Each structure stands twice: as structure tokens, then as C-alpha cells.
Amino acid sequence: MTEHKSPWDYMGPAETAILGDVILDPAEQARWGRAMLFGTLPYMWRQKAGVIREMIYDKLALRPGDRVLIIGECIQVCGFDSDMQDRMQGQGHIDIVDITARARGAYLEGVAGRGGQLATWQWTYTQDTPDEHYDAVAVLQAVQHTDDWHESARELTRILKPGRSIVLAEIALGPRIMDAASVDVHIEAWVDKMFSRIGFALEKVPYYSPAQLQAAFAGVVQDAHTFAWKGIEMFWGRKAG
């Protein structure tokens, strides 16, 4: 039986001749793996997902003077807030809850939420926000980090005005990424290499499917829809009432 090894275990003299002996250090390998994962969201959202960005803004149906809440990772560097201000002709108010540091720390420190899933926690960001305070709510690259979407769905629609929209969008690190990677041994090996030293397993990354989000928002939004494209998953609906 073949011994199970990481792709890093096969680094040898040919690699150190180019990269130096430091590349054999597990801590350095972890740093390289994390560099591959962290800092990539802005590239994907800005360079690869333009069509989905436009869908997000269209579904939010923003108007001049709207008050908007965005919860997500890398919100400003991805340009979500500035894009939305453009849609509101510079006459909107945007509140930002950026969870980037907390999400990364939770992964690397092994912090789990109430349901036991890694890098999830109870969202209390809006507990002091009045009812029907926002004209639009967007959860952009944060879907996987609440530990109870049934609870969060009701909280985020509580603060949303009736008839207005909520949109969730995620470049998902879900189970389908391994299915996609397995079609090519190069891609599969690169994914294995990145996660074998990064500090947490890909299988531990939390994931909420579009069907689970549909169930969580049942009864609190109407005209709910989902859409998936190249690993990006969207959910949107209008507050009932």
C-alpha cells in the first residue's frame, strides 16, 4: 500500500536549487499555502466575477438615498461599497461589517461556533439596530461564517424594510471544489498542496448550500431565487409584507 504523503514531502534537491532550503521548512510551506488562499478574493471578485457583481447590484435594486448594510470579507478592497455608491449616484449611506480578520483567525485557531462548524459564530452585529432600518442588505463572502442561518435570516430581514431586497453571494469553498479539482490531476495536486500545510483541512470549511439558505429564509422573504456559476453561489429575495 502506498504511504500517504503530502505533495510537500516530495520537494527535494531540484526544488531547493531554485527556491532554497527554506522551502523544506513546514512553517514556510504553511506560509506559502496561506498566501495562495488569503488575499485572492479581490482578484476573483474584481477580475473574474464581473457578471455576478452586476447581478448582485441589480438584485439589490438600489436607489439614491438608500441605507445599505454589507456584511462580508474584503468589502472595500473588492470594491463592493464604492460600486453600490455609484448605483445610488453617491447619495446613499452604507454600513460595513468586515469580518475578514475574525474569519481568518477562526480558521487558523480552530474556533468553532455553536453548531460545531469551524470558523462560524453567532452574528450579533445588528442586535441594537431598529426594525426596518435598511433599504438593502448584502452578505458578500460571509455566508459560511454564521453558525445559524435560520436565526440570522430572521435578524437580517427584521432590520430590512418590507418589499426591499437581501442578497447573499459567496465564492464557495464547498464540497464541489474537490469534485471540480478531481477532473485534472494537476489541479487536484495543487489543492492538496495548498491545504496540506495551511493549518485546517478543506473538509472542515463550513458550507451552506443554496437549498439550505432557501429553507432558512422560508417565510421571511418572497420571490426567493438562487443562482450558481463557476463556484459562485447567490441567494436573493424580497422581505415579505
Side-chain angles (χ1 to χ4, degrees), residues 36 75 158 200:
M36 286 291 293
I75 294 168
R158 177 188 69 79
F200 57 93

Side-chain angles (χ1 to χ4, degrees), residues 18 24 29 52 90 107 109 114 154 160 197 202 213 215 237:
I18 299 170
L24 302 180
Q29 293 167 358
I52 303 301
Y107 278 129
E109 295 164 19
R114 292 172 294 173
R154 276 138 191 82
L160 183 63
R197 292 286 193 270
L202 178 57
L213 295 176

Side-chain angles (χ1 to χ4, degrees), residues 25-80:
D25 180 357
E28 185 69 5
Q29 293 167 358
R31 195 169 72 92
W32 280 48
R34 292 170 185 175
M36 286 291 293
L37 181 64
F38 300 148
T40 310
L41 284 174
Y43 171 73
M44 291 190 288
W45 276 114
R46 284 183 175 271
Q47 301 295 320
K48 300 293 183 180
V51 172
I52 303 301
R53 289 166 69 94
E54 291 304 310
M55 284 186 64
I56 291 168
Y57 307 140
D58 286 345
K59 300 307 178 185
L60 286 170
L62 300 172
R63 308 166 185 168
D66 275 352
R67 184 182 295 272
V68 181
L69 173 66
I70 309 174
I71 302 175
E73 291 185 67
C74 304
I75 294 168
Q76 291 174 306
V77 71
C78 285
F80 294 130

Side-chain angles (χ1 to χ4, degrees), residues 78-145:
C78 285
F80 294 130
D81 56 332
S82 58
D83 285 350
M84 291 185 197
Q85 280 290 9
D86 288 345
R87 287 293 185 112
M88 294 184 288
Q89 300 175 26
Q91 301 176 44
H93 176 86
I94 299 177
D95 289 328
I96 293 173
V97 177
D98 195 300
I99 67 164
T100 308
R102 182 167 185 176
R104 292 177 180 179
Y107 278 129
L108 299 177
E109 295 164 19
V111 177
R114 292 172 294 173
Q117 283 190 300
L118 181 66
T120 63
W121 58 87
Q122 184 180 23
W123 283 10
T124 58
Y125 303 115
T126 57
Q127 62 184 2
D128 296 324
T129 303
D131 293 352
E132 302 178 6
H133 185 69
Y134 289 104
D135 300 284
V137 174
V139 179
L140 304 178
Q141 208 58 44
V143 174
Q144 62 196 25
H145 292 297

